[in-house]
Amino acid sequence: GLSERELRLLDWLARQPAEMIERRRSESALRESEQRLSVELADTQLLQGLSAQLIEEQGSASLYETLVDAARSIMRSEYATMQTLHPERGAGGELLLIASRGLTEEARQLWNWVRAEQSTTCALALPTTARFVVSDIANCEAMAGTVDQALMLGGGIRAAQTTPLLS
């Protein structure tokens, strides 16, 4: 028979291909994930550039709708909105809804004008002009108990992000 040392060596040799295959799978999955993130970043940067260009050119409603469709597709989202800031309205300014997809009529009416004191991701991003992400609207402290939170959850919106575009 085989010695204890030979058995250990055979066991080690038998495990090597499985470990190599698993390592290659992990490396491949990491590369695929990095490639997806790279594509998503490029898509987002393209969308930002297009948005800024449209804003500068005072785009038409149909252009805004096209942009919202593109954003929804890129982000793989059921919902998308686009708003413009009107700094002359109120202390922190207000956002006017200029295009949307997926919202109910009630939501469109409620969010036609968004004030800085509201609890949408857009309102929460307004004072800082920084991207604002909520991965779980049901458990977001900044939205807790608000009409905005109830309407989002009631409409099936579970997560949201706002990316201010400056031009």
Side-chain angles (χ1 to χ4, degrees):
L2 296 173
S3 70
E4 182 65 29
R5 182 172 183 261
E6 290 169 329
L7 286 172
R8 281 195 315 262
L9 178 61
L10 284 173
D11 180 57
W12 180 81
L13 287 171
R15 281 185 277 120
Q16 291 310 300
E19 288 177 10
M20 283 179 55
I21 289 169
E22 185 57 35
R23 190 174 358 191
R24 285 187 181 156
R25 282 184 183 159
S26 295
E27 290 168 357
S28 177
L30 179 59
R31 276 192 305 278
E32 288 174 12
S33 177
E34 288 171 346
Q35 287 171 346
R36 276 194 309 275
L37 287 174
S38 178
V39 166
E40 288 176 13
L41 176 60
D43 286 344
T44 302
Q45 289 170 334
L46 173 65
L47 192 57
Q48 280 184 308
L50 181 57
S51 296
Q53 182 181 357
L54 288 173
I55 290 167
E56 287 171 14
E57 295 175 6
Q58 298 299 311
S60 69
S62 65
L63 287 174
Y64 293 137
E65 295 290 335
T66 300
L67 185 60
V68 167
D69 285 337
R72 191 171 75 161
S73 175
I74 288 168
M75 301 306 290
R76 293 172 193 75
S77 174
E78 294 178 47
Y79 310 91
T81 64
M82 185 173 197
Q83 299 159 304
T84 56
L85 175 62
H86 289 260
E88 74 281 1
R89 291 181 62 117
E94 290 185 15
L95 298 167
L96 173 63
L97 184 65
I98 59 173
S100 70
R101 289 290 188 260
L103 297 181
T104 64
E105 182 58 33
E106 178 187 11
R108 278 196 306 278
Q109 287 178 9
L110 181 66
W111 295 324
N112 188 53
W113 284 100
V114 173
R115 297 175 317 281
E117 61 271 11
Q118 283 181 259
S119 300
T120 65
T121 55
C122 301
L124 294 167
L126 193 54
T128 65
T129 67
R131 186 172 188 220
F132 192 88
V133 178
V134 177
S135 59
D136 183 2
I137 288 172
N139 293 307
C140 175
E141 277 188 43
M143 293 180 168
T146 65
V147 170
D148 293 314
Q149 181 189 45
L151 190 56
M152 286 180 177
L153 293 173
I157 302 172
R158 301 288 180 249
Q161 68 92 18
T162 292
T163 303
L165 305 171
L166 308 174
S167 68

